[in-house]
Amino acid sequence: MSALSFALAAAVAAAPAPDAEIKALVDKLSPWLVECRRDIHRNPELSNRESRTGRLAAERLKALGLEVRHPVAKTGAVGILRGGRPGGVVALRADLDALPIEETMDVPYRSQNAGVKHACGHDAHTTIVLGVADVLSQLKAKLPGTVVFIFQPAEEGPPEGEEGGAPLMIKEGVLSEPKVQAIYGLHMDPFLDVGSVGWSIGPIFASSDTFSIEVAGKTTHGAYPHTGIDPIPIAGEIVSNLQLLVSRQVDAQNPKVLTIGSFHAGNRFNIIADRVRMEGTLRTLDPAVRIELKQRMRRVIESIAQAHGTTATLRFRDAGNAPTLNDAELTRASQPSLERVFGKAGTLEVKPQMGAEDFAAFAERVPGLYVKLGVRNQARGITASIHTAEFDIDEAVLPLGVRGMATLVWDYLARSQAPAR
Ligand SMILES: [Zn+2]
Ligand SMILES: [Zn+2]
């Protein structure tokens, strides 16, 4: 095709998503969506162990006629749908894993896997993205470009010592073969009523860094502390000074949280402990503040230990998660698409939360938009937070989510150009 006819073909293809056709297909698919979500909910699997869920996604994608890569990043799957019209390449990401939480709800789709539950809604994310693959594959001839469907393991973090999650998917080429130009992601949100969608420009989730601090002591009799080094008051001073760091050394306009969640030391009332070990998490909404705080933490911790004649070691467990940043241009351009599905009143600008998402790794490499789909239904008592034993969703989010995400990716393709060859 010549450059001119290619440009003409692209121009002809630039029609927005066919809303009525998408809605009709989604209505027909609705019972399957509920069935699929319940099947995944009954069979939850922990991070990097999602073999059944990953296989389920891969098999469904194959049945829909997509090009499928499986397994990717241990248990994940990728489906590629090439539309019948020329255009760009956009990705849509779902996560597969559940949490080590016992299901307490007495529902027909109760978890059959003791001690494991889809308490973060990833069962619904997987179902919705499979639903989008289904609907768009039926409209493939008109689709102006390529959609890459990403089913990612280990969003909640791989087990210690294992690789996984979004960084491993990227390492295994999900953004490069084919070259993805933008990416969309979604999360269930029990703070938003079902039927609404939340978006933000810039941060939508915080960075997260897990750290440990070890303060060295010298054990001795508790009546003669001067003959040893007592690490407990030194560690106490470190804990207080880390809170001063957060409140006194960084601009109050920059949200951040530093939590010490565990503190272990000693084993008897009259023996000076030989060491203190603490663990905690650091959250920020700004990549620069994140770097600055990590440096300042080290300075505070090491100098306090030094002032008391001992040493303290700060270790960050792994590379952590960057803040999830929504691309401003992509978000603005996507807003009308969301409004066509959720209405103006249901399309809400939301504040970022201090929770974290490894979608950040994708959005660091290509423009990304991560949206929150409302699942709250006060009348039916569906209000529990994610990561709790009572978390559930109003399943009306499933067809709406499919329509919303299908419209977003289609409209993106209609606006975009094919990548340069
Ligand atoms: Zn989660
Ligand atoms: Zn989640």
Side-chain angles (χ1 to χ4, degrees):
M1 206 185 287
S2 74
L4 181 64
S5 57
F6 189 83
L8 282 173
V12 170
D19 296 349
E21 277 175 274
I22 289 177
K23 184 171 184 310
L25 291 170
V26 173
D27 286 347
K28 228 165 60 186
L29 194 63
S30 274
W32 181 85
L33 293 172
V34 171
E35 218 177 282
C36 177
R37 180 259 164 169
R38 292 184 175 195
D39 178 53
I40 300 174
H41 194 90
R42 270 187 212 106
N43 298 281
E45 297 172 300
L46 292 174
S47 307
N48 269 357
R49 305 289 181 270
E50 315 87 335
S51 350
R52 182 187 183 274
T53 319
R55 206 166 46 238
L56 178 150
E59 277 165 14
R60 182 75 186 167
L61 295 169
K62 269 183 214 152
L64 294 171
L66 272 67
E67 282 173 46
V68 179
R69 290 173 56 203
H70 174 258
V72 182
K74 299 186 195 284
T75 64
V78 177
I80 300 165
L81 179 66
R82 295 183 203 275
R85 294 190 182 174
V89 181
V90 65
L92 178 57
R93 177 272 212 165
D95 35 15
L96 301 169
D97 51 335
L99 286 159
I101 292 176
E102 182 77 39
E103 177 103 274
T104 54
M105 295 184 311
D106 188 18
V107 285
Y109 44 91
R110 189 188 166 96
S111 166
Q112 306 294 305
N113 191 354
V116 185
K117 172 187 160 91
H118 269 292
C120 204
H122 300 183
D123 49 347
H125 305 167
T126 299
T127 303
I128 288 173
V129 175
L130 283 174
V132 177
D134 193 320
V135 167
L136 295 188
S137 67
Q138 295 184 64
L139 298 169
K140 183 176 157 173
K142 288 200 266 188
L143 183 70
T146 298
V147 186
V148 178
F149 297 93
I150 298 177
F151 295 86
Q152 179 214 302
E155 190 286 319
E156 301 288 356
E160 218 175 332
E162 288 183 27
E163 263 190 292
L168 189 57
M169 293 293 278
I170 293 166
K171 208 163 135 187
E172 296 194 7
V174 300
L175 292 182
S176 49
E177 307 153 21
K179 197 170 162 13
V180 167
Q181 295 165 299
I183 186 164
Y184 289 94
L186 65 152
H187 209 287
M188 301 292 102
D189 191 336
F191 294 113
L192 295 176
D193 287 332
V194 69
S196 56
V197 62
W199 59 273
S200 69
I201 286 178
I204 188 141
F205 278 116
S207 63
S208 78
D209 290 287
T210 307
F211 61 84
S212 67
I213 303 167
E214 197 163 308
V215 184
K218 188 169 168 242
T219 188
T220 184
H221 193 298
Y224 316 107
H226 62 286
T227 61
I229 296 171
D230 186 353
I232 291 181
I234 302 169
E237 211 177 303
I238 288 174
V239 173
S240 319
N241 276 277
L242 287 176
Q243 294 314 315
L244 287 181
L245 193 175
V246 166
S247 68
R248 305 287 88 179
Q249 292 193 30
V250 181
D251 189 341
Q253 303 285 341
N254 289 312
K256 62 263 163 196
V257 175
L258 194 162
T259 291
I260 303 286
S262 78
F263 188 110
H264 296 285
N267 51 21
R268 206 184 130 86
F269 71 94
N270 62 353
I271 302 174
I272 296 292
D274 64 340
R275 64 193 181 126
V276 173
R277 190 179 153 81
M278 298 173 265
E279 284 180 325
T281 182
L282 174 68
R283 311 286 171 121
T284 70
L285 294 182
D286 181 320
V289 173
R290 179 185 180 208
I291 295 170
E292 187 190 332
L293 270 172
K294 285 168 113 175
Q295 288 163 351
R296 285 176 185 265
M297 280 175 73
R298 195 169 299 285
R299 191 176 74 185
V300 164
I301 291 163
E302 290 176 357
S303 8
I304 290 174
Q306 197 195 6
H308 295 284
T310 187
T311 56
T313 325
L314 167 67
R315 273 196 197 90
F316 287 93
R317 190 165 80 183
D318 49 32
N321 285 318
T324 301
L325 304 176
N326 283 337
D327 182 78
E329 199 185 319
L330 182 67
T331 306
R332 281 192 197 100
S334 301
Q335 213 180 315
S337 314
L338 291 173
E339 287 176 0
R340 294 216 309 277
V341 175
F342 298 92
K344 258 196 165 47
T347 304
L348 309 165
E349 184 171 6
V350 293
K351 286 187 180 152
Q353 291 173 359
M354 299 312 280
E357 235 306 324
D358 78 355
F359 184 82
F362 297 119
E364 273 185 322
R365 284 159 182 89
V366 294
L369 171 57
Y370 195 80
V371 296
K372 297 176 174 179
L373 300 176
V375 296
R376 186 183 184 87
N377 186 330
Q378 187 95 41
R380 292 183 47 206
I382 302 172
T383 57
S385 167
I386 53 169
H387 288 220
T388 66
E390 297 78 29
F391 175 71
D392 200 1
I393 61 166
D394 184 330
E395 287 170 328
V397 71
L398 301 172
L400 264 174
V402 175
R403 284 174 59 204
M405 301 317 289
T407 307
L408 279 178
V409 295
W410 189 303
D411 286 354
Y412 174 82
L413 292 176
R415 290 191 306 271
S416 70
Q417 302 275 314
R421 2 185 117 193

